[in-house]
Amino acid sequence: MSRVPDVKEILNLTPGMLSVLLLSVSAGSLLGLPVAGRIAHRFGAVKTVRFGLCLAAPGIVLAALAVQLEVGRYAVIPGLFLLGLGMGVWDVAQNLEGTVIERALDKAIMPWFHAAFSGGTVLAALIGAGLVGLGVPLLVHLGVVAVWSAVAVWWGTGRFQSTSAAKSDEADAIAAPAVAQRSAWSEPRTLLIGVMVLAAAFTEGTANDWIAVAFVEGHEVDKALGVLALAVFLTFMTAGRVLGAGLLDRYGRVPVLRGLFSAAIVGCLLVVFGNTWLAFIGCAIWGVGASLGFPVGMSAAADDPERAAMRLSVVATIGYTAFLAGPPLLGFLGDHVGILHALLAVGVVSVLAILIVPVAKRAQP
């Protein structure tokens, strides 16, 4: 994302055309997410993550090459689509592996993995900003990212635990073939967990995309302070994921999630109706409130290891829809009521999440 302004400048893109290019990544992900569960169920998390890498790494290089050679804006789309497709497959499989480790340790550690993801995005953005400042060509930057990612993923997946876990589950799958074949899309609990994750993704994604703009346009602060507001949100969200795992073990999923979605509502209200300083406090509370809904939803979907892969695929597909549809919907609402007041949609969605949080209660396989 740190090179998006460069892409826009090199290809002379309008905001609308840039949105089309970014949409191609989302389209690839939404195609990869639904099929990833069956791939992971059949071949295991290791092979599935590596398969996702084999799609994503060439995709980002192809997209960078098309931009660097200035062969045309539409030539970038296939590479970005491959990137999104690989990321979708990869995402479900690595969450599956996270649930395997979580069950083996019998403690809530999925938020830690998602905290690492959040930290990685911040670190990557900082490195990207530095490389932009040094004038490093886009193809060199993203080519190194692809190679480094390939090495890291191949090394990391060699230590995955889910291959042996999948083998131990084969006997159970043979004993209950009808259960294994039933579509996870037909399970009410799985769908409701997906809706809860969608609400969590909307709560997080809205802040990522619009908090800085809302501070600049709504609170009339400098752009640097708008970026600082986003940094506050991301910092407290990451801290919530690191520290929240202990709360989950001590109090359980349902009360913790109720408290955090309530905090997201309070934080949202402070951002919208408070003065500038209260709005910054609201960003912190909102960040904590947005921290655990997504990772806990992944854990809840995988309570039954035999059905984990398919259910994770469904929940991830529903949840990531918020990242695709949320930003334009907020923008459209912002055109009518102003972007600051449009953020109140987060409060409405969080109320819905509070009502269905009981579906996250640990289910017995």
Side-chain angles (χ1 to χ4, degrees), residues 6 23 82 228 301 307 362:
D6 288 338
L23 186 63
L82 268 181
L228 179 60
R307 300 281 293 162
R362 187 177 300 276

Side-chain angles (χ1 to χ4, degrees), residues 185-207:
W185 286 97
S186 67
E187 300 171 349
R189 178 177 181 266
T190 300
L191 295 179
L192 287 173
I193 291 173
V195 173
M196 185 191 77
V197 169
L198 183 146
F202 183 80
T203 301
E204 175 184 345
T206 297

Side-chain angles (χ1 to χ4, degrees), residues 37-359:
R38 292 197 176 277
I39 297 173
H41 185 72
R42 182 175 178 84
F43 298 105
V46 174
K47 292 181 179 179
T48 306
V49 169
R50 289 177 174 177
F51 174 60
L53 170 71
C54 290
L55 295 172
I60 196 171
V61 173
L62 285 174
L65 185 63
V67 174
Q68 200 74 60
L69 297 179
E70 299 183 46
V71 296
R73 62 192 66 173
Y74 296 107
V76 183
I77 291 177
L80 293 179
F81 180 84
L82 268 181
L83 172 64
L85 180 63
M87 288 171 60
V89 172
W90 180 347
D91 185 270
V92 170
Q94 70 181 7
N95 273 292
L96 174 63
E97 174 65 17
T99 64
V100 170
I101 297 172
E102 192 171 55
R103 282 196 300 272
L105 296 176
D106 194 28
K107 61 185 298 186
I109 62 167
M110 182 66 84
W112 292 355
F113 297 132
H114 284 251
F117 174 84
S118 300
T121 58
V122 174
L123 179 61
L126 293 174
I127 293 174
L131 294 177
V132 170
L134 293 172
V136 176
L138 183 141
L139 181 59
V140 174
H141 175 184
L142 298 184
V144 170
V145 167
V147 172
W148 185 89
S149 298
V151 172
V153 169
W154 225 263
W155 175 82
T157 52
R159 288 153 177 77
F160 274 18
Q161 303 296 314
S162 55
T163 301
S164 59
K167 289 179 180 178
S168 67
D169 289 333
E170 285 179 1
D172 292 336
I174 293 172
V179 173
Q181 293 299 319
R182 189 176 71 246
S183 172
W185 286 97
S186 67
E187 300 171 349
R189 178 177 181 266
T190 300
L191 295 179
L192 287 173
I193 291 173
V195 173
M196 185 191 77
V197 169
L198 183 146
F202 183 80
T203 301
E204 175 184 345
T206 297
N208 286 331
D209 292 319
W210 291 111
I211 269 190
V213 177
F215 265 70
V216 172
E217 295 186 1
H219 289 288
E220 300 181 348
V221 300
D222 185 79
K223 290 180 181 178
L225 286 179
V227 175
L228 179 60
L230 175 59
V232 169
F233 170 84
L234 291 174
T235 299
F236 277 83
M237 182 178 69
T238 303
R241 287 174 171 172
V242 172
L243 301 175
L247 295 177
L248 291 168
D249 288 329
R250 183 170 182 177
Y251 299 108
R253 295 171 181 169
V254 174
V256 171
L257 288 180
R258 279 178 174 157
L260 291 182
F261 278 117
S262 298
I265 296 172
V266 173
C268 171
L269 292 174
L270 287 175
V271 168
V272 174
F273 296 113
N275 59 31
T276 302
W277 292 111
L278 283 177
F280 272 102
I281 294 173
C283 286
I285 297 173
W286 185 345
V288 173
S291 62
L292 296 184
F294 202 103
V296 171
M298 296 292 109
S299 297
D303 280 342
D304 180 358
E306 182 183 323
R307 300 281 293 162
M310 279 81 74
R311 288 172 177 166
L312 277 171
S313 183
V314 170
V315 169
T317 301
I318 297 172
Y320 277 103
T321 302
F323 290 121
L324 174 63
L329 287 176
L330 257 293
F332 177 77
L333 183 59
D335 287 341
H336 293 80
V337 300
I339 197 60
L340 184 63
H341 286 88
L343 296 181
L344 290 173
V346 169
V348 176
V349 171
S350 295
V351 170
L352 171 64
I354 290 172
L355 295 176
I356 60 175
V357 152
V359 300

